[in-house]
Amino acid sequence: MVEEGSNDVSADTLSVEEWLSHAQDLVPLALDKAKEVKGFPGRWKMIISKLEQIPSRLSDLSSHPCFSKNTLCKEQLQAVSKTLNELIKLAELCMKEKYEGKLQMQSDLDALSGRLDLNLRDCGLLIKTGVLGEVTFPSQTVSTATDTESLSHGNIRELLARLQIGHLEAKHKALDTLVELMKEDEKTVLSVLGRSNISAIVQLLTATSPKIREKAVTVICSLAESGSCENWLVSESVLPPLIRLIESGSAVGREKAAISLQRLSMSPETARSIVGTGGVRPLIEICNIGDSISQAAAACTVKNISVVPELRQTLAEEGVIKVMINLLDCGILLGSKEYAAECLQNLTSSNEILRRNVISEGGIRSLLVYLDGPLPQESAVGALRNLIGSVPVDGLISLGLIPRLVHVLKSGSPGAQKAAASAICAISNSADMKKLVGESGCIPLLVKMLEAKTNGGREVAAQAISSLVSFSQNRREVKRDEKSVPNLVQLLDPSPQNTAKKYAVSCLASISSSKKCKKLMISYGAIGYLKKLSEMEVPGAKKLLERLERGKLRSLFSRH
C-alpha cells in the first residue's frame, strides 16, 4: 500500500491498475473509520453518503477501454486516494478527540466533504467529456510543449479536460498552456473545443485568483473574436463575469473583457442581455476613464447596443449622450470618435427627445468639428441629418454646415456622400435656403453623384437636385452641366430596383423648357423610357412624354 502523502519515486511509478487497487482498498477502511466516529454526526453522515458513491465511480472509470492508457485516470485515482487518506486521518482524530478545536474540525470536515464532491464530479467528467477515448502523452509533455504541431487533438482535449477537473492550481497550469496554444494555433484548439470546455473557462472568470481571472478572460477574448462560439459563451453565462471584470478587474482584465463584449454585442439579443445584466453603466464608465483600447472597445459596445431601438432610452438615462459627445471631442483613439459618431446617429434616428438631448448637450458643434478631421464622415453627417428638423436651419448655417456638406460631397466615402445629399434635401425647404445651397457649388457634385454605384446614392442625389431646381438660378446651373441630362435620362430606367426614377422625371421636367435640353433628352432615349413609366403611372412621366413628343413633331415638320 502507498503511504499517505507519499511523494517518493515508488508512488510515481505505480501503474494505473495499482492505483485503482490502492483506492479500492482504501474505501472500506475509510467507511469503517467514518462509521465509528460519534462526534459531528451530521457532517459524518453526509461524508459517508458521498464515500459510498466512490466504488461505482471507480468501476465506471476502470471499465473504460482506454482506462490504462490515459494519464488523467492515474492522476484522478491519486487524487481520490489522497482524499481517502485524509478522511481516515480525520476520523481517527475525531474518535480520539485529538483535535485543536471544535470549529477548526468542523471547517476541516466541510473541506473534506468538498474534496469528495470534487472527486466524484471529476470521475464523472472524465467519462462525460470523452477525453478518455484519446491516447495521450504523459502530462508533463502537455504542460511544457511549445511546438504546437507536436500536439494532437487528443492532447488538446486532455488539456481542455484539465480545466474542468482537479484543484485550482492544476487548472491554473492548464490555463497557462491554453493561452500559449491559442496564440500559436488557435484554429486547432477551436476545432476540438466543446461546450463543456467553454463552461469550465467561463467559471474560471470568477476564480479568487486575479491572475487566473486575467488568463481566463484572455482565452474568452480569443474565443469571442474567433466568431465561432458566441452562442455557447452567452448560453454559459459569460456576460455577468465579463461585466464584473469591466467594473473591478485589472487593466488587462478590463481590456480583454471590453473587447469580448464588443464582439458579443454585435448580436441584438446579446446586446439586450448586456443591458439586462447591468452592463451599461460600467461600459460608460470605461468610455470616460478607460485606457485607449478599453475605451474604444467599450464605445463600440455601446454603439452596438444603440443599434437596438428599444435600448436607446436606457442608454440615454445612463448619460450616454454626454459621454459620446465628449468622446467626439477628445477620444483617445480615432476609433473611439468614430464609434461615438455612429452611436449618436443611432440615438437620433427616430426619437425626438433624444435629438433634443443631443442638441442641448452641444452635439451639433462637436459633430461639425468632427467633420473637419480625417475620420470616416458618414455617421456624423447622418447624425446631423437626423437633427436638422429639430433645430432652426439658420443656426446650422451659421455654424458652417453647408461648406462642410460640400466638402463631404467632394471627397467623402459613398456612404458619407449619400448622407450629405440627404442633409441637403432636408435643409432646402425655402427659396433662400435653395439659393444658399446652390451658390455653395454643390450642384455639379450632385450631378456627378447621379453616376453613383449604389441605387441609394443615385436616388438621394436625384432627390436633392429635384428639390433645388425649383429655384431658377439652380435650374440654370443644371441646364449648363453637360452631364445632367444624360445622367438623369439613365435614371428613367423602369426596373423596380431603380428607385430614383420619379426624381429623375421631376428634374427633367423642370429643365424641359430648354430646347437644347429637350433635344438631348430625346437623343438619349428618354421617350422610350417615359412610355414605360407612363404605363406605370409614375408621377409627371406622361406630361413630360407629351412635351417631348410635341417637340419631336415640331422638329420633324420644320425639317420637311
Side-chain angles (χ1 to χ4, degrees):
M1 180 180 292
V2 180
E3 294 298 323
E4 175 194 346
S6 174
N7 290 315
D8 60 21
V9 176
S10 62
D12 288 338
T13 56
L14 287 178
S15 68
V16 66
E17 289 82 3
E18 288 171 321
W19 274 108
L20 174 64
S21 176
H22 175 57
Q24 289 172 330
D25 290 342
L26 284 175
V27 173
L29 178 59
L31 266 173
D32 289 342
K33 293 284 187 183
K35 290 176 180 178
E36 290 179 27
V37 179
K38 303 300 180 186
F40 311 100
R43 283 178 168 80
W44 278 106
K45 184 178 180 181
M46 183 175 294
I47 289 170
I48 289 168
S49 70
K50 295 172 183 178
L51 190 53
E52 288 171 339
Q53 299 174 47
I54 287 182
S56 65
R57 295 296 173 92
L58 295 180
S59 175
D60 290 342
L61 204 58
S62 62
S63 62
H64 194 281
C66 297
F67 167 70
S68 61
K69 299 176 183 178
N70 195 292
T71 57
L72 287 173
C73 289
K74 184 175 180 179
E75 291 175 20
Q76 189 55 40
L77 291 170
Q78 289 172 331
V80 170
S81 299
K82 182 179 179 182
T83 301
L84 293 173
N85 277 318
E86 289 175 359
L87 189 155
I88 292 168
K89 180 180 177 181
L90 284 177
E92 289 173 347
L93 289 175
C94 283
M95 284 188 288
K96 297 173 183 177
E97 298 187 356
K98 290 184 177 180
Y99 46 83
E100 294 180 6
K102 188 174 180 181
L103 290 177
Q104 181 61 51
M105 179 52 72
Q106 287 174 341
S107 176
D108 291 343
L109 291 174
D110 289 340
L112 173 65
S113 182
R115 283 193 291 276
L116 282 168
D117 281 332
L118 184 63
N119 292 152
L120 291 168
R121 185 186 73 93
D122 288 353
C123 284
L125 278 172
L126 279 177
I127 303 293
K128 186 178 178 182
T129 58
V131 73
L132 292 186
E134 305 285 347
V135 178
T136 62
F137 298 115
S139 58
Q140 59 265 32
T141 304
V142 175
S143 60
T144 61
T146 56
D147 181 6
T148 56
E149 291 182 3
S150 68
L151 291 173
S152 68
H153 284 194
N155 301 133
I156 296 174
R157 285 194 180 94
E158 178 183 329
L159 174 66
L160 293 170
R162 289 177 184 278
L163 296 174
Q164 301 180 64
I165 64 174
H167 52 82
L168 198 58
E169 186 58 34
K171 293 177 181 178
H172 193 170
K173 290 178 181 177
L175 200 55
D176 280 338
T177 307
L178 185 60
V179 169
E180 293 306 312
L181 285 179
M182 290 291 287
K183 288 178 185 175
E184 297 176 29
D185 193 3
E186 181 182 285
K187 186 176 180 180
T188 301
V189 175
L190 291 172
S191 70
V192 297
L193 198 68
R195 183 167 182 166
S196 60
N197 308 129
I198 289 176
S199 176
I201 299 168
V202 169
Q203 289 173 31
L204 292 175
L205 290 175
T206 57
T208 53
S209 164
K211 282 293 181 186
I212 291 182
R213 292 198 300 269
E214 206 171 274
K215 289 170 184 172
V217 77
T218 299
V219 175
I220 292 292
C221 185
S222 295
L223 296 178
E225 288 189 302
S226 74
S228 60
C229 44
E230 299 103 312
N231 291 337
W232 277 352
L233 286 167
V234 174
S235 65
E236 292 301 329
S237 302
V238 76
L239 297 179
L242 286 178
I243 290 168
R244 284 197 292 274
L245 281 171
I246 288 254
E247 290 176 306
S248 57
S250 64
V252 172
R254 284 198 304 272
E255 178 185 307
K256 297 298 183 182
I259 295 170
S260 300
L261 289 173
Q262 173 184 351
R263 184 64 179 78
L264 295 172
S265 62
M266 291 171 67
S267 157
E269 192 55 47
T270 303
R272 292 185 185 96
S273 298
I274 291 172
V275 173
T277 317
V280 173
R281 187 165 294 178
L283 286 166
I284 288 177
E285 188 68 18
I286 292 291
C287 288
N288 270 327
I289 62 170
D291 60 71
S292 57
I293 297 175
S294 298
Q295 184 187 74
C300 186
T301 305
V302 172
K303 180 267 294 182
N304 290 343
I305 292 171
S306 72
V307 171
V308 186
E310 69 267 26
L311 302 180
R312 292 168 187 163
Q313 187 60 43
T314 302
L315 289 173
E317 289 168 0
E318 294 289 353
V320 75
I321 290 174
K322 189 172 184 178
V323 172
M324 290 299 109
I325 292 172
N326 183 59
L327 277 182
L328 272 184
D329 295 334
C330 50
I332 301 172
L333 293 180
L334 296 181
S336 299
K337 293 173 177 278
E338 184 180 352
Y339 296 137
E342 290 182 60
C343 183
L344 290 173
Q345 181 184 22
N346 292 335
L347 293 172
T348 57
S349 63
S350 58
N351 189 311
E352 181 61 25
I353 294 174
L354 297 187
R355 288 175 189 150
R356 295 192 177 280
N357 288 345
V358 171
I359 293 165
S360 66
E361 292 287 354
I364 289 177
R365 188 178 295 275
S366 295
L367 287 164
L368 288 168
V369 171
Y370 173 92
L371 289 181
D372 295 332
L375 293 164
Q377 301 160 319
E378 180 176 346
S379 297
V381 179
L384 286 166
R385 166 64 185 87
N386 294 339
L387 296 172
I388 285 171
S390 304
V391 66
V393 176
D394 291 347
L396 292 170
I397 303 307
S398 66
L399 290 172
L401 174 64
I402 292 178
R404 286 182 170 97
L405 292 178
V406 172
H407 171 70
V408 173
L409 287 175
K410 281 182 181 176
S411 56
S413 66
Q417 290 174 338
K418 178 183 173 183
S422 179
I424 285 171
C425 288
I427 61 175
S428 301
N429 53 8
S430 69
D432 288 342
M433 286 307 305
K434 288 173 185 178
K435 181 175 184 294
L436 277 175
V437 171
E439 290 172 346
S440 70
C442 73
I443 288 178
L445 301 171
L446 291 170
V447 169
K448 187 178 179 181
M449 248 188 94
L450 296 173
E451 303 168 359
K453 291 182 179 180
T454 65
N455 180 63
R458 295 190 297 270
E459 178 185 7
V460 75
Q463 184 182 6
I465 295 171
S466 173
S467 173
L468 292 170
V469 290
S470 61
F471 184 70
S472 59
Q473 185 178 319
N474 296 338
R475 192 159 56 248
R476 284 194 294 272
E477 190 167 351
V478 173
K479 289 176 184 178
R480 283 196 299 267
D481 194 311
E482 61 183 23
K483 287 188 174 182
S484 60
V485 172
N487 286 352
L488 288 166
V489 170
Q490 282 292 107
L491 294 185
L492 295 176
D493 179 3
S495 66
Q497 294 78 16
N498 175 29
T499 53
K501 48 185 172 281
K502 63 179 180 179
Y503 300 115
V505 169
S506 174
C507 292
L508 290 169
S510 295
I511 61 175
S512 63
S513 59
S514 162
K515 290 181 180 180
K516 178 184 175 183
C517 289
K518 274 195 291 189
K519 286 180 180 179
L520 284 171
M521 292 178 207
I522 293 167
S523 67
Y524 280 104
I527 289 178
Y529 282 134
L530 289 168
K531 285 179 179 178
K532 293 179 181 177
L533 296 183
S534 297
E535 293 171 3
M536 296 166 62
E537 298 184 350
V538 172
K542 187 175 181 180
K543 188 175 180 180
L544 179 58
L545 173 62
E546 291 171 351
R547 184 176 294 177
L548 294 184
E549 286 182 327
R550 281 199 303 271
K552 190 176 181 183
L553 282 170
R554 277 196 295 268
S555 176
L556 180 63
F557 287 138
S558 66
R559 285 203 301 272
H560 285 291

